[in-house]
Amino acid sequence: MVDYHVTGGGGSIGGGGHGHGHRVMGPDGRYMEQEDDWDRDLLLDPAWEKQQRKTFTAWCNSHLRKAGTQIENIDEDFRDGLKLMLLLEVISGERLPKPERGKMRVHKINNVNKALDFIASKGVKLVSIGAEEIVDGNAKMTLGMIWTIILRFAIQDISVEETSAKEGLLLWCQRKTAPYKNVNVQNFHISWKDGLAFNALIHRHRPELIEYDKLRKDDPITNLNNAFEVAEKYLDIPKMLDAEDIVNTARPDEKAIMTYVSSFYHAFSGAQKAETAANRICKVLAVNQENEHLMEDYEKLASDLLEWIRRTIPWLEDRVPEKTMPDMQQKLEDFRDYRRVHKPPKVQEKCQLEINFNTLQTKLRLSNRPAFMPSEGKMVSDINNGWQHLEQSEKGYEEWLLNEIRRLERLDHLAEKFRQKASIHEAWTEGKEAMLKQKDYESATLADIKALIRKHEAFESDLAAHQDRVEQIAAIAQELNELDYYDSHSVNARCQKICDQWDVLGSLTHSRREALEQTEKQLEAIDQLYLEYAKRAAPFNNWMEGAMEDLQDMFIVHTIEEIEGLITAHEQFKSTLPDADREREAILDIQNQAQKIADYNHIKLTGGNPYTTVTPQTINSKWEKVQQLVPKRDGALKGEHDKQQSNERLRLQFANQANVVGPWIQVKMEEVGRIAIEMHGTLEDQMTHLKQYEQSVINYKPNIDKLEQQHQLIQEALIFDNKHTNYTMEHIRVGWEHLLTTIARTINEVENQILTRDAKGISQEQMHEYRVSFNHFDKDHTGALGPEEFKACLISLGYDVENDRQGEAEFSRIMSIVDPNNSGMVTFQAFIDFMSRETTDTDTADQVIASFKVLAGDKNYITAAELRRELPPDQAEYCIARMAPYQGPDAAPGALDYMSFSTALYGESDL
């Protein structure tokens, strides 16, 4: 309500002879004290009144000209209230009640009262100013009313660093003129007399209009006129004071100066708002450009890693076996190169990719941006799935390689055994067909026939004894076929030839027996002594051939126990040699007895023993061969025994190292887990500690490399088991890679906490308080809190989340923020993000939109030219490339929709 009273005599309440100050309602509801200069009983200094008349008149005209009119005499032209109401409409942008057009005094008073009522409706309490005084042309009251309007509509809303009105305007002037020599703005009177402050204000905002360095402090008239003329010509600020009046007044009028300076403030405030808006947009764009760069880096690294996995898996799943052992061993060596050389950098890339992803999401969250969603198929989970497939293929490939090497080793052994037995058999069968086909019995004597029959019986015995060897040859050939031996064709052909020849020998043997039996009735018994020799010599000869074959037989073993078993069997064989030697001497004695009988009876023996081809020379020769092969067999077995002892040393060497490295890795994993939970000191101290800890782990790498070298020696020796340790090289590799990855992730968590702290302005003390509170309630040291633990943590920090309805609702709200997936657990990072959001502020979509609106001059769209004028070149082009065309009905050519750009920055939900 307006605090004035209309009377017939023109008086007003509060207008007595006392110095009542005028109060103007401020934006916060409090009143700002006005100067006491307007008390009606105090006379204005004539010089001040002149300055105010000129300044206030110019100020009013700067607004009235927008309505196509002006005033000449400030205390006369407002008397009917019409131009006063028009002035208020122009400066407020609002419509006042319709004025009365009558010429009578009452009409004028009513119009002035409508103006005063409007001023009062804006929160201004007018004291000692009545409508009658304005109508009567009271100059002091009129000037006081105009000053009240200026204070309310031109100065009151000025705010700099939470000050307002006069103080805010003064602070603005001080800041803008601070860099200029000879300028020291302390008030709105003496500080402006030399004119330099006016020039400094103009030069600060429009340096091209003022040559400040050429101004002289001892020439105030020139300085003031220069500033006033430039302001009127280029800034549309009318000349409100005369330079001579300011210079020739000991203390220029403060209200006149304030009014004039407020015009400069409003002239430049648009540029200041645009500068502020541009700075805010540049900050937002810089964050977005950095985030996009990180996104591009992630996409490229993810693509490269997935492409490497895509190329590598088919190689690991290519299970086409090679034909020979050297080729398969080359495959194993290629696989070792892959594990030692090619894969470790990819393990680091995968770990770095996850770290980059977490860092990017943290930055997006801190800058109030939507979370980053990688391209389809490039999520961290997709990479983990591909990596898991890779490691499964890798494990299967290594097992396949070792099985194939074992198979080829077995094949080579069988093939050599086949060739050896086949060669022995073929040597034995040589000439047998010709012998069985001869017709010597047709012209032989009776004694000869009997000898031929006995000889044939001995051959049949020999033939039967060789049946086992033929069956062994066939069985070995069958096993080679089943094991897919690469040269099975030649093996089968040779085996078939032996079998066919065996059938022919059987048939020929049967035919010869029938022929000899037909003549047997006409023959006499053969000399028993020769027959006994033949019967005993044949099996003994076969035994020697079998012994020679066994002594030359190849063997393959993998353990000490196996070779010791062969050595035991060989020793048992050697223990039978004395008996065999006695049998040899007994057989030779039969031949000697026959010779003695012949010599005694003067019988001339022609040829050899008719019943056998095994001569004493043959027996002695083969016996000598057996004697030679025994020490060779001893040497071969000893050599293999030495090899197995060497293999056992390799096993123990690897086991001893693995049994140290394996538990060391486990201990370090547990230590990393404790460090991640029980961190002390500042985040930087924690980071330093973690880096040192990481370096100490990396320094352990030579032990892993040493173990790899020992593992390679074991593989090269074809050692496939190790009973001395439960650790395999694969276990050690996986544990080592997991340890390095865990340390890197822990370091990344601290980096993200530092990033969160710095971005949100969280103090070290706050961060320490959060960590101590969190660790206190993390009783099981898992690095996460359950709902009840988290509630207790919040209560310890002062949150009201007790078990009443309001507290439960608040706790549910907080849980939806820190645990959006309803996992039932709250991590420390989620806890820090929540606390930082609760205590700090960030740019919002509304702030960015408001900033663009300032640059666009309050339009709903912005042009490319405006962006290029207000923003740095790279950021202007960045916006233009990403803004959609504006589709509104008021669109100008080339209009861009900055709302769509803000949507892209913050997501629809934030708008």
Side-chain angles (χ1 to χ4, degrees):
M1 180 175 179
V2 181
D3 188 11
Y4 58 85
H5 181 71
V6 179
T7 65
S12 63
I13 295 175
H18 302 287
H20 296 291
H22 305 153
R23 296 165 62 87
V24 181
M25 180 71 77
D28 57 356
R30 298 193 300 269
Y31 289 100
M32 298 180 295
E33 292 289 345
Q34 294 189 71
E35 305 289 341
D36 285 340
D37 298 339
W38 296 113
D39 198 305
R40 63 192 305 159
D41 292 332
L42 295 178
L43 296 178
L44 281 173
D45 182 291
W48 288 2
E49 181 177 349
K50 178 181 178 183
Q51 292 173 18
Q52 287 180 11
R53 280 179 178 276
K54 181 173 181 62
T55 302
F56 292 178
T57 299
W59 184 86
C60 291
N61 284 335
S62 70
H63 294 286
L64 286 172
R65 68 184 179 184
K66 300 174 184 176
T69 186
Q70 64 178 16
I71 61 172
E72 298 293 338
N73 189 327
I74 196 167
D75 51 353
E76 290 293 331
D77 293 351
F78 285 138
R79 291 179 63 183
D80 59 4
L82 295 178
K83 288 188 178 180
L84 179 60
M85 294 178 70
L86 182 60
L87 174 66
L88 291 171
E89 287 185 344
V90 170
I91 63 178
S92 69
E94 301 179 25
R95 297 290 294 177
L96 270 68
K98 186 176 181 180
E100 299 181 13
R101 296 296 181 180
K103 299 296 185 180
M104 299 177 62
R105 176 179 175 81
V106 66
H107 297 141
K108 297 178 182 180
I109 290 175
N110 288 341
N111 287 338
V112 173
N113 271 329
K114 289 177 182 180
L116 297 177
D117 287 342
F118 178 78
I119 295 171
S121 71
K122 297 303 179 182
V124 179
K125 179 175 286 189
L126 298 170
V127 181
S128 303
I129 299 178
E132 295 87 345
E133 293 170 315
I134 304 302
V135 172
D136 292 340
N138 185 316
K140 295 178 178 59
M141 291 301 105
T142 301
L143 290 174
M145 177 190 66
I146 297 302
W147 169 246
T148 299
I149 292 172
I150 292 171
L151 195 62
R152 170 61 183 83
F153 292 101
I155 299 175
Q156 177 178 309
D157 291 334
I158 296 174
S159 177
V160 180
E161 288 192 354
E162 301 181 359
T163 63
S164 59
K166 175 181 177 181
E167 294 175 3
L169 184 61
L170 183 63
L171 181 58
W172 178 81
C173 294
Q174 290 171 341
R175 285 193 168 177
K176 294 300 180 181
T177 61
Y180 294 87
K181 63 181 181 179
N182 297 325
V183 176
N184 183 17
V185 177
Q186 297 297 326
N187 50 54
F188 285 109
H189 40 78
I190 301 300
S191 297
W192 303 84
K193 282 191 67 173
D194 60 12
L196 292 177
F198 284 106
N199 283 277
L201 279 181
I202 298 173
H203 185 270
R204 180 64 181 271
H205 295 90
R206 296 288 299 277
E208 76 278 6
L209 300 179
I210 298 288
E211 292 182 304
Y212 186 83
D213 292 338
K214 294 184 178 181
L215 300 177
R216 292 167 36 219
K217 187 174 180 63
D218 59 358
D219 191 5
I221 296 294
T222 301
N223 296 341
L224 289 166
N225 283 330
N226 181 67
F228 297 162
E229 290 168 4
V230 168
E232 186 169 37
K233 182 176 181 180
Y234 296 103
L235 304 178
D236 199 27
I237 299 175
K239 185 176 181 181
M240 298 184 181
L241 288 170
D242 291 324
E244 290 77 9
D245 291 341
I246 295 176
V247 173
N248 296 330
T249 304
R251 184 175 183 270
D253 180 61
E254 187 174 48
K255 295 174 178 58
I257 297 294
M258 281 181 66
T259 301
Y260 208 166
V261 171
S262 70
S263 297
F264 284 86
Y265 174 87
H266 290 294
F268 296 132
S269 63
Q272 184 171 340
K273 290 178 182 178
E275 179 182 354
T276 302
N279 289 338
R280 179 181 294 277
I281 291 171
C282 289
K283 175 185 173 184
V284 171
L285 295 180
V287 170
N288 215 57
Q289 287 172 312
E290 181 184 0
N291 291 341
E292 284 189 0
H293 180 67
L294 291 175
M295 294 175 191
E296 292 170 0
D297 287 347
Y298 174 88
E299 292 280 342
K300 182 179 186 307
L301 190 55
S303 297
D304 293 345
L305 188 56
L306 286 170
E307 174 62 21
W308 179 80
I309 292 174
R310 185 191 65 78
R311 292 196 314 268
T312 305
I313 286 178
W315 174 68
L316 293 172
E317 293 181 346
D318 180 11
R319 308 292 166 82
V320 178
E322 298 293 341
K323 299 293 186 182
T324 64
M325 177 71 79
D327 290 338
M328 284 305 299
Q329 287 176 329
Q330 182 59 48
K331 274 184 175 287
L332 181 59
E333 187 60 31
D334 292 343
F335 179 71
R336 289 176 184 144
D337 284 343
Y338 156 77
R339 286 308 306 262
R340 291 193 306 262
V341 179
H342 301 293
K343 185 184 177 187
K346 299 303 177 182
V347 172
Q348 294 301 319
E349 287 181 17
K350 177 176 177 292
C351 177
Q352 190 62 45
L353 188 72
E354 294 173 357
I355 290 173
N356 290 353
F357 181 82
N358 292 335
T359 300
L360 174 59
Q361 297 293 36
T362 299
K363 287 188 175 183
L364 291 172
R365 186 167 59 252
L366 294 176
S367 58
N368 207 22
R369 305 299 198 275
F372 169 52
M373 287 298 293
S375 302
E376 184 176 357
K378 297 180 183 176
M379 298 286 290
V380 172
S381 59
D382 296 322
I383 294 170
N384 286 334
N385 290 338
W387 192 264
Q388 185 177 8
H389 185 189
L390 173 77
E391 293 194 328
Q392 289 172 349
S393 301
E394 180 182 300
K395 180 178 180 182
Y397 186 67
E398 185 174 24
E399 291 175 354
W400 173 79
L401 280 175
L402 296 176
N403 288 334
E404 277 299 306
I405 288 175
R406 292 190 191 101
R407 184 182 69 83
L408 287 176
E409 185 182 35
R410 171 71 175 160
L411 281 175
D412 286 349
H413 172 69
L414 286 175
E416 182 60 29
K417 193 170 185 177
F418 172 83
R419 287 190 288 269
Q420 188 182 62
K421 287 186 177 292
S423 297
I424 292 172
H425 178 76
E426 288 167 348
W428 178 82
T429 59
E430 185 176 357
K432 295 296 189 293
E433 287 187 35
M435 180 194 73
L436 291 172
K437 291 178 180 179
Q438 62 185 342
K439 305 293 185 178
D440 53 349
Y441 56 85
E442 294 180 350
S443 59
T445 64
L446 181 60
D448 293 335
I449 292 300
K450 288 183 178 182
L452 290 174
I453 290 174
R454 301 298 183 269
K455 183 178 179 181
H456 189 70
E457 288 175 349
F459 173 76
E460 286 181 326
S461 176
D462 198 11
L463 185 68
H466 281 78
Q467 177 70 32
D468 286 343
R469 184 182 288 114
V470 174
E471 291 176 353
Q472 289 175 9
I473 290 172
I476 293 173
Q478 178 63 28
E479 189 172 359
L480 288 170
N481 279 298
E482 291 173 354
L483 293 177
D484 193 23
Y485 182 54
Y486 77 96
D487 199 18
S488 292
H489 176 73
S490 62
V491 169
N492 291 336
R494 190 171 183 180
C495 181
Q496 187 62 46
K497 182 178 179 182
I498 289 172
C499 290
D500 291 344
Q501 186 187 36
W502 187 256
D503 291 340
V504 170
L505 288 176
S507 177
L508 291 174
T509 300
H510 180 70
S511 299
R512 184 171 176 82
R513 169 173 277 281
E514 287 182 345
L516 292 173
E517 286 177 349
Q518 289 176 3
T519 59
E520 186 180 12
K521 295 177 182 179
Q522 304 169 5
L523 301 177
E524 295 178 349
I526 304 297
D527 180 74
Q528 292 299 315
L529 198 55
Y530 271 11
L531 184 57
E532 183 182 357
Y533 172 88
K535 287 183 176 179
R536 292 181 68 175
F540 184 71
N541 183 62
N542 287 336
W543 175 86
M544 288 192 297
E545 289 182 347
M548 288 190 292
E549 183 176 346
D550 290 340
L551 289 171
Q552 298 179 81
D553 189 18
M554 297 179 64
F555 54 84
I556 177 171
V557 295
H558 296 98
T559 66
I560 288 286
E561 291 76 14
E562 290 177 356
I563 189 61
E564 288 177 348
L566 289 179
I567 291 173
T568 300
H570 182 61
E571 291 299 324
Q572 291 174 351
F573 166 76
K574 286 162 63 176
S575 69
T576 65
L577 289 179
D579 291 339
D581 192 31
R582 285 190 288 273
E583 175 66 10
R584 177 184 67 85
E585 291 177 349
I587 293 172
L588 293 178
D589 188 58
I590 293 173
Q591 179 67 26
N592 291 335
Q593 289 178 26
Q595 187 65 45
K596 288 177 181 180
I597 293 172
D599 292 343
Y600 182 78
N601 295 296
H602 305 288
I603 298 171
K604 186 177 181 180
L605 297 177
T606 58
N609 191 321
Y611 306 118
T612 180
T613 60
V614 181
T615 66
Q617 293 78 11
T618 300
I619 292 175
N620 286 331
S621 174
K622 290 185 178 180
W623 179 256
E624 185 179 352
K625 180 67 173 177
V626 170
Q627 294 298 309
Q628 294 172 351
L629 289 175
V630 167
K632 289 184 178 179
R633 184 72 168 182
D634 286 336
L637 291 173
K638 183 180 184 305
E640 184 62 31
H641 187 268
D642 293 342
K643 175 184 174 183
Q644 291 304 322
Q645 284 183 324
S646 174
N647 289 352
E648 188 67 8
R649 285 194 296 273
L650 289 177
R651 288 188 182 96
L652 287 171
Q653 188 178 28
F654 176 84
N656 291 336
Q657 181 74 1
N659 289 336
V660 172
V661 172
W664 184 90
I665 290 176
Q666 182 62 35
V667 168
K668 291 302 176 183
M669 284 298 300
E670 295 171 358
E671 289 179 0
V672 171
R674 289 197 298 272
I675 290 173
I677 295 172
E678 302 173 357
M679 290 187 173
H680 303 290
T682 66
L683 291 177
E684 286 74 11
D685 292 340
Q686 297 168 18
M687 178 64 69
T688 300
H689 179 57
L690 282 171
K691 293 280 189 181
Q692 292 171 348
Y693 191 83
E694 181 184 40
Q695 187 57 49
S696 72
V697 171
I698 292 173
N699 291 339
Y700 197 74
K701 182 64 162 56
N703 294 283
I704 306 297
D705 296 338
K706 179 180 179 182
L707 201 60
E708 284 281 8
Q709 294 169 1
Q710 295 169 353
H711 178 65
Q712 181 170 345
L713 293 176
I714 282 180
Q715 286 196 326
E716 289 172 350
L718 299 177
I719 300 172
F720 303 111
D721 58 350
N722 194 337
K723 64 182 179 181
H724 304 295
T725 181
N726 293 325
Y727 294 100
T728 66
M729 196 62 230
E730 182 63 25
H731 292 152
I732 299 297
R733 291 188 193 118
V734 171
W736 175 254
E737 292 169 358
H738 184 50
L739 175 61
L740 292 178
T741 301
T742 301
I743 294 174
R745 286 174 178 161
T746 304
I747 290 173
N748 180 244
E749 289 177 4
V750 177
E751 289 174 340
N752 285 341
Q753 289 175 27
I754 292 174
L755 188 64
T756 301
R757 181 197 68 190
D758 295 343
K760 296 299 186 177
I762 300 176
S763 68
Q764 184 63 48
E765 289 74 15
Q766 286 178 306
M767 185 64 76
H768 179 70
E769 180 185 1
Y770 297 154
R771 169 55 80 182
V772 170
S773 298
F774 190 90
N775 286 349
H776 176 75
F777 293 101
D778 184 14
K779 304 295 186 184
D780 52 2
H781 303 296
T782 60
L785 302 181
E788 292 305 316
E789 293 173 324
F790 182 58
K791 177 182 286 189
C793 181
L794 289 175
I795 292 173
S796 74
L797 292 172
Y799 280 78
D800 184 10
V801 289
E802 294 292 349
N803 293 326
D804 56 14
R805 180 175 299 176
Q806 183 175 357
E808 288 294 336
E810 174 65 6
F811 184 65
S812 297
R813 178 189 75 82
I814 295 173
M815 283 299 293
S816 68
I817 296 172
V818 298
D819 184 23
N821 298 323
N822 295 321
S823 66
M825 300 302 290
V826 181
T827 65
F828 183 66
Q829 186 62 44
F831 171 62
I832 287 298
D833 289 343
F834 166 73
M835 294 305 296
S836 65
R837 282 198 297 271
E838 290 289 298
T839 57
T840 58
D841 187 23
T842 59
D843 291 323
T844 65
D846 288 339
Q847 291 173 329
V848 174
I849 291 172
S851 298
F852 275 117
K853 200 174 188 70
V854 170
L855 299 186
D858 235 16
K859 302 189 298 296
N860 291 325
Y861 60 85
I862 194 166
T863 65
E866 289 170 331
L867 286 171
R868 291 189 177 104
R869 183 180 69 241
E870 301 292 348
L871 298 179
D874 60 331
Q875 295 187 333
E877 300 305 323
Y878 178 83
C879 291
I880 293 168
R882 286 162 175 75
M883 284 187 180
Y886 178 70
Q887 303 296 336
D890 57 337
L896 301 172
D897 186 357
Y898 52 79
M899 177 70 76
S900 66
F901 183 64
S902 298
T903 300
L905 288 177
Y906 291 92
E908 293 285 355
S909 59
D910 194 48
L911 300 178

